[in-house]
């Protein structure tokens, strides 16, 4: 009987110690162990509820509009330069293209964008909800924004610097979102 009591006490003590380390149990006022729910937020939470204004998921990619695909392809071909090596918000030379009207080869340009701050936390909330895949949960890295409009010619007063179409990429995971309304809504494109 004595050995059984000691084993029971030891098992209870080990269980309480493990629960305390894991944060899963607290002691109630009567000394009984009480299970506590997992906190509603945190880096390891996976609830599959997207934040407001962010659409899609790892299982349901949102294809970008046709008028953005050329710019997305350009940045992909450039291996996603970012604010570390191209600076913030400046003109960047694009690929030379053949003008269908004139038959001549012309230079293209694209505006770089810059570091995207995610001030409202929607992209990190999307990642922490597990919607970009489990490897993106707890993301602490930075984001880069990219303009997607490719212009023909050189920078001059007739070429607008920016429009409402952008993509945002998590630098270390490669998760990409597109927006065609200047960050009012985001659509998950996938990992590029």
């Amino acid at each position: 009987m004595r050995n059984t009591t000691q084993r029971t006490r030891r098992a209870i003590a080990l269980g309480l110690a493990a629960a305390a380390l894991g944060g899963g149990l607290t002691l109630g006022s009567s000394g009984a162990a009480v299970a506590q729910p997992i906190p509603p937020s945190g880096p390891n939470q996976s609830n599959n509820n997207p934040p407001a204004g962010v659409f899609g998921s790892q299982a349901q990619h949102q294809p970008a509009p046709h008028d953005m695909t050329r710019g997305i392809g350009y940045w992909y071909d450039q291996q996603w330069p970012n604010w570390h090596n191209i600076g913030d918000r400046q003109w960047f030379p694009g690929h030379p293209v053949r003008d269908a009207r004139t038959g001549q080869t012309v230079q293209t340009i694209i505006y770089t964008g810059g570091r995207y701050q995610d001030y409202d936390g929607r992209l990190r909330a999307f990642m922490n909800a597990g919607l970009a895949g489990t490897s993106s949960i707890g993301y602490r890295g930075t984001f880069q924004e990219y303009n997607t409009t490719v212009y023909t010619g050189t920078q001059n007063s007739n070429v607008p610097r920016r429009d409402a179409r952008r993509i945002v990429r998590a630098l270390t995971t490669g998760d990409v979102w597109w927006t065609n309304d200047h960050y009012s809504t985001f659509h998950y494109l996938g990992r590029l």
Side-chain angles (χ1 to χ4, degrees), residues 71-81 110-112 146-147:
I72 294 168
Y74 173 75
W75 293 117
Y76 178 85
D77 289 347
Q78 295 297 314
Q79 300 178 355
W80 303 105
I110 192 167
Y111 204 68
T112 61
Y146 298 89
N147 286 25

Side-chain angles (χ1 to χ4, degrees), residues 15-169:
L16 288 174
L21 288 173
L25 293 177
T26 59
L27 292 177
S29 59
S30 65
V34 179
Q36 296 295 314
I38 295 174
S41 63
N44 295 323
Q45 174 90 10
S46 179
N47 60 18
N48 294 327
N49 293 324
V54 184
F55 302 97
S57 68
Q58 180 185 28
Q60 202 169 31
H61 295 187
Q62 304 284 299
H66 180 64
D67 63 348
M68 296 177 73
T69 57
R70 184 174 176 197
I72 294 168
Y74 173 75
W75 293 117
Y76 178 85
D77 289 347
Q78 295 297 314
Q79 300 178 355
W80 303 105
N82 58 67
W83 61 275
H84 292 291
N85 55 13
I86 62 172
D88 279 342
R89 296 171 176 78
Q90 60 190 7
W91 286 104
F92 202 77
H95 300 296
V97 296
R98 184 175 169 93
D99 186 329
R101 291 175 290 133
T102 65
Q104 296 180 355
T105 300
V106 295
Q107 181 62 45
T108 60
I109 55 174
I110 192 167
Y111 204 68
T112 61
R115 185 174 181 173
Y116 181 75
Q117 300 295 336
D118 193 31
Y119 288 121
D120 62 9
R122 285 189 292 169
L123 299 184
R124 280 191 174 83
F126 180 91
M127 296 169 90
N128 286 334
L131 294 165
T134 56
S135 63
S136 294
I137 294 175
Y139 182 70
R140 297 190 188 280
T142 58
F143 298 91
Q144 172 75 23
E145 70 176 56
Y146 298 89
N147 286 25
T148 62
T149 303
V150 179
Y151 298 99
T152 302
T154 58
Q155 178 188 358
N156 61 43
S157 60
N158 296 328
V159 176
R161 286 187 345 139
R162 313 187 86 181
D163 55 28
R165 294 183 298 274
R166 309 272 201 294
I167 52 175
V168 174
R169 184 173 185 267

